């Protein structure tokens, strides 16, 4: 009968620790702010404020010919949501507007454009401010799209080029038919939310308890190290899953981001990543035992890599090979890959299983290391 009694006593101690920590989380305004308010703030800021799409890009429109062909060509720019056209009379005036940054580009229709269209040698000059290389690259892509729209429309009406072949341009985007960067950003935002709750908040709170001597008080109780660790992490685990629920609901209600994969798979993989984040926070706080140092280290090893080196904002394949190799160290890389796949592509097991396995291994190692670091001892 001793074994059942021992198990019952262990369960009572764990529940008591969970209850105590839960009340502490509820009474702590910073925990509520990070766990509930911060996910919604980040979702709104990233969803509405941050976008890789350019809208209403101001361009100067120089039409050196007023033919029907010229008007049809520039209609692709005038009717596009990506451009806001400003008609000017001369190229010199357009260049002045570009120099003083009134406009970001110039679209020029040269003289004798209609004749060149009939001969199949027509050209449209597009000049873009290249001080921001990424913006310039996107703007040029949009300009090519506007010209392609005009060519497709003319081809549908029977326009024939020199070679005798009509143009028929057909394009399709997989996984993100709306070509909206919000679809790409919002799923990755879940990584930041769970990193904040799991790693940063946990590291701060635990380091504060080390500073105040709360852990030393727990060490003189019958509670074992594993029970103390479990009692401390369960409330923050629940808080992290609440942040996940708010992020998923917000992505659906506010931005209409599709969730094409299984919700249960999303929950399971998110639980694995949350365990990894909790393990990192517990380990850092146990080793440093100082709030300021713990916060700085946690930001460096979790939050910044989650934003910069996970594929959340920047494509890893475009990074130098050395940096690509470093990204494999950070768990956020694997979680971002799974999230983007589940939201936009569906249950692609060739992506989900390997990344989930890595997260599971990391969670096991980090939680074991955290248990060792917070073993029952004084000081």
């Amino acid at each position: 009968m001793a074994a059942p009694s021992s198990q019952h006593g262990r369960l009572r101690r764990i529940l008591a620790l969970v209850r105590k920590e839960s009340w502490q989380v509820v009474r702590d305004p910073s925990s509520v702010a990070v766990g509930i308010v911060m996910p919604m703030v980040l979702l709104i800021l990233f969803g509405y404020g941050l976008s890789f799409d350019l809208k209403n890009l101001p361009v100067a429109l120089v039409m050196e010919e007023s033919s029907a062909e010229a008007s049809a060509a520039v209609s692709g720019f005038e009717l596009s949501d990506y451009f806001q056209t400003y008609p000017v009379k001369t190229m010199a005036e357009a260049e002045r507007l570009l120099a003083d940054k009134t406009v970001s580009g110039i679209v020029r229709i040269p003289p004798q454009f209609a004749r060149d269209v009939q001969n199949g040698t027509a050209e449209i000059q597009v000049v873009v401010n290249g001080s921001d290389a990424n913006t310039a690259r996107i703007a040029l892509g949009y300009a090519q799209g506007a010209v392609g729209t005009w060519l497709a429309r003319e081809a549908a009406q029977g326009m024939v080029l020199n070679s005798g072949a009509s143009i028929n341009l057909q394009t399709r985007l997989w996984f993100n038919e709306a070509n909206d960067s919000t679809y790409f950003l919002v799923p990755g935002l879940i990584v930041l939310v769970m990193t904040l709750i799991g790693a940063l908040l946990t590291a701060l709170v635990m380091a504060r308890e080390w500073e105040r001597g709360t852990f030393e008080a727990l060490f003189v109780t019958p509670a074992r190290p594993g029970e103390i660790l479990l009692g401390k992490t369960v409330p923050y685990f629940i808080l992290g899953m609440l942040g996940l629920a708010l992020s998923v609901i917000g992505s659906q209600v506010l931005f209409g981001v599709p969730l094409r994969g299984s919700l249960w798979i999303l929950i399971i993989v998110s639980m694995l990543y949350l365990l990894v984040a909790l393990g990192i926070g517990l380990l850092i706080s146990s080793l440093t035992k100082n709030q300021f140092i713990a916060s700085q280290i946690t930001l460096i090893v979790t939050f910044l890599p989650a934003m910069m080196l996970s594929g959340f904002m920047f494509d890893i394949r475009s990074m130098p090979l050395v940096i690509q190799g470093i990204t494999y160290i950070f768990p956020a890389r694997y979680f971002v890959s799974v999230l983007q796949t589940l939201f936009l592509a569906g249950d692609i097991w060739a992506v989900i299983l390997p990344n989930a396995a890595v997260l599971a291994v990391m969670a096991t190692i980090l939680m074991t290391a955290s248990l060792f670091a917070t073993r029952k001892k004084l000081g």
Side-chain angles (χ1 to χ4, degrees):
M1 298 297 293
S5 177
S6 176
Q7 292 293 336
H8 181 68
R10 178 178 300 178
L11 180 60
R12 289 184 60 187
R13 290 193 295 269
I14 292 174
L15 290 177
L17 288 169
V18 169
R19 190 181 305 111
K20 167 189 170 297
E21 194 67 26
S22 298
W23 277 112
Q24 183 172 333
V25 169
V26 172
R27 291 195 301 265
D28 186 1
S30 63
S31 299
V32 176
V34 174
I36 299 177
V37 179
M38 186 62 71
M40 299 309 300
V41 171
L42 287 176
L43 192 66
I44 293 173
L45 286 178
F46 277 82
Y48 288 113
L50 180 63
S51 175
F52 294 146
D53 301 322
L54 298 178
K55 295 292 183 67
N56 298 319
L57 188 71
V59 295
L61 184 60
V62 183
M63 293 186 63
E64 298 178 349
E65 180 181 285
S66 58
S67 62
E69 289 81 357
S71 299
V74 300
S75 65
F77 294 89
E78 294 175 330
L79 300 177
S80 173
D81 293 334
Y82 300 112
F83 296 102
Q84 185 174 358
T85 57
Y86 294 89
V88 297
K89 295 181 179 180
T90 64
M91 192 65 180
E93 184 180 356
E95 291 174 352
R96 180 182 60 79
L97 294 175
L98 183 64
D100 63 19
K101 297 186 178 180
T102 302
V103 298
S104 299
I106 301 172
V107 177
R108 173 176 173 260
I109 304 297
Q112 301 178 343
F113 181 76
R115 186 194 65 184
D116 293 339
V117 168
Q118 298 300 323
N119 295 333
T121 59
E123 294 181 352
I124 298 176
Q125 184 180 8
V126 177
V127 181
V128 177
N129 186 343
S131 56
D132 185 339
N134 186 60
T135 299
R137 187 164 47 248
I138 296 174
L140 287 175
Y142 288 162
Q144 292 174 356
V147 174
T149 300
W150 166 64
L151 290 175
R153 186 170 60 248
E154 293 296 320
Q157 296 174 359
M159 183 185 74
V160 180
L161 300 181
N162 288 0
S163 60
S166 297
I167 298 175
N168 184 18
L169 182 65
Q170 294 183 348
T171 61
R172 181 182 177 186
L173 291 173
W174 279 25
F175 308 134
N176 188 359
E177 294 85 352
N179 195 22
D180 190 343
S181 61
T182 302
Y183 283 23
F184 178 80
L185 290 173
V186 170
L189 180 61
I190 296 176
V191 179
L192 299 185
V193 171
M194 303 193 76
T195 300
L196 279 173
I197 298 173
L200 185 59
L201 180 60
T202 304
L204 286 174
V205 173
M206 296 305 169
R208 182 175 60 195
E209 295 205 16
W210 279 109
E211 287 182 344
R212 295 176 177 177
T214 308
F215 271 114
E216 281 78 356
L218 288 175
F219 289 156
V220 299
T221 67
R224 298 178 180 179
E227 298 168 357
I228 295 175
L229 184 65
L230 191 60
K232 291 290 184 181
T233 55
V234 167
Y236 296 101
F237 183 86
I238 296 174
L239 194 61
M241 296 307 294
L242 178 60
L244 170 68
L246 291 174
S247 298
V248 173
I249 294 172
S251 68
Q252 305 289 300
V253 175
L254 297 179
F255 307 106
V257 179
L259 177 58
R260 298 191 171 103
S262 170
L263 177 61
W264 290 108
I265 297 175
L266 173 63
I267 293 174
I268 292 172
V269 177
S270 299
M271 291 170 66
L272 290 176
Y273 180 75
L274 186 55
L275 289 175
V276 173
L278 287 169
I280 294 174
L282 289 170
L283 184 60
I284 291 175
S285 63
S286 298
L287 294 177
T288 61
K289 300 180 182 179
N290 180 277
Q291 287 188 78
F292 177 77
I293 298 176
S295 65
Q296 298 304 305
I297 295 177
T298 305
L299 282 174
I300 293 173
V301 302
T302 61
F303 188 77
L304 291 180
M307 180 175 289
M308 308 294 292
L309 300 176
S310 64
F312 163 52
M313 296 186 66
F314 308 106
D315 192 344
I316 295 177
R317 294 169 297 182
S318 64
M319 300 178 184
L321 290 177
V322 175
I323 304 299
Q324 291 186 38
I326 294 175
T327 61
Y328 286 98
I329 302 173
F330 302 108
R333 172 197 170 109
Y334 307 98
F335 191 35
V336 166
S337 179
V338 174
L339 284 175
Q340 292 175 347
T341 300
L342 286 173
F343 271 90
L344 301 180
D347 297 333
I348 310 299
W349 295 107
V351 176
I352 296 172
L353 291 179
N355 289 287
V358 174
L359 289 176
V361 172
M362 287 184 170
T364 302
I365 294 174
L366 286 167
M367 294 306 291
T368 302
S370 300
L371 178 62
F372 178 78
T374 56
R375 64 187 181 275
K376 190 174 184 179
K377 66 175 184 179
L378 291 173

